[in-house]
Amino acid sequence: MLHGCKQDPDDFATGTRMNEVGELHGLAVAYPAQTRAYNASSCWNWFDRAHQERDLGEPAIVAGIAREIASEFGLDRQCVFVAGLSAGGAMAVVMGETYPDLYAAVGVHSGLAYGSANDVVSAFAAMRGEVGVGRAGAARSGANFTAVRTIVFQGSADRTVHPSNSHRIVAAAKTGGASHTETQHGRAAGGRTYTRTIVTGPDGSPQLEHWRMDGAGHAWSGGNPDGSYTDPQGPDASLEMARFFLNAPTPDKTA
């Protein structure tokens, strides 16, 4: 679980309630911490070329944590996932692009597509919704690359990360094997309406989900208000991510 800017692991754990979700599903949850020594706002450096490649910089550190936990608990790739919010969501995308052999699924909340930026100036441009610097997909090398299963959450009224970024993530995550797309509309228990788009593979398994929360800003959907950057009115992103990660059936109730 990769926190956003101006957050820390404790705040992120509180806001997402992912520890409670982990207990519910038997998941071990890790919260790596970015410090101000490496970024003044405690952001993951998703926009820096030095942190966009395999076995370098922050991706190497995050992957090392995942591998250590997988080794400790005897987990194979199908049990390893990465998720994040904002800068953490953008870094989760980087992890899926650079370590598709390590992660079974990626969860992105209010994040940005891989290759959207390569410095601070282009990062802010991408966050405004302007076209990226053209490196999207650069990590995909070789004929054997397979996009990691991805679930994306985005508020339609996000003024920090323009909603168009979620569509770029979705476009990059789609694979040639996708065979069916379904769109659903609903209302969360907190009152916020949403649109959920599901893309399944030839075998009927979910490969991609895109959740758009109407009127939501830059905040974790369904989060705990005791944490920062949370939106209690929306569908529970933590529960839905865990459900998607584990390829479990959708509960027969409103999210």
Side-chain angles (χ1 to χ4, degrees), residues 28 30 63-81 102-103:
I65 294 171
R67 285 170 171 153
E68 182 175 343
I69 294 172
S71 176
E72 178 180 352
F73 290 95
L75 307 176
D76 61 25
R77 175 185 176 273
Q78 295 306 312
C79 300
V80 182
F81 318 103
L102 176 59
Y103 297 100

Side-chain angles (χ1 to χ4, degrees), residues 42-62:
S42 299
C43 306
W44 297 99
N45 293 299
W46 59 273
F47 52 84
D48 189 329
R49 286 183 184 274
H51 303 285
Q52 294 177 341
E53 304 295 338
R54 185 184 180 97
D55 298 331
L56 294 175
E58 291 169 7
I61 295 171
V62 174

Side-chain angles (χ1 to χ4, degrees), residues 98-175:
T98 56
Y99 291 91
D101 55 324
L102 176 59
Y103 297 100
V106 175
V108 187
H109 204 310
S110 311
L112 298 99
Y114 180 81
S116 297
N118 61 8
D119 56 24
V120 174
V121 174
S122 57
F124 280 112
M127 290 166 66
R128 292 192 296 268
E130 298 173 15
V131 177
V133 298
R135 294 189 70 246
R140 304 185 179 202
S141 60
N144 293 327
F145 180 88
T146 300
V148 178
R149 296 173 57 243
T150 303
I151 182 169
V152 180
F153 287 81
Q154 178 66 52
S156 68
D158 192 331
R159 296 180 180 273
T160 301
V161 175
H162 193 276
S164 62
N165 286 285
S166 69
H167 295 287
R168 294 189 181 104
I169 296 170
V170 168
K174 285 184 177 179
T175 65

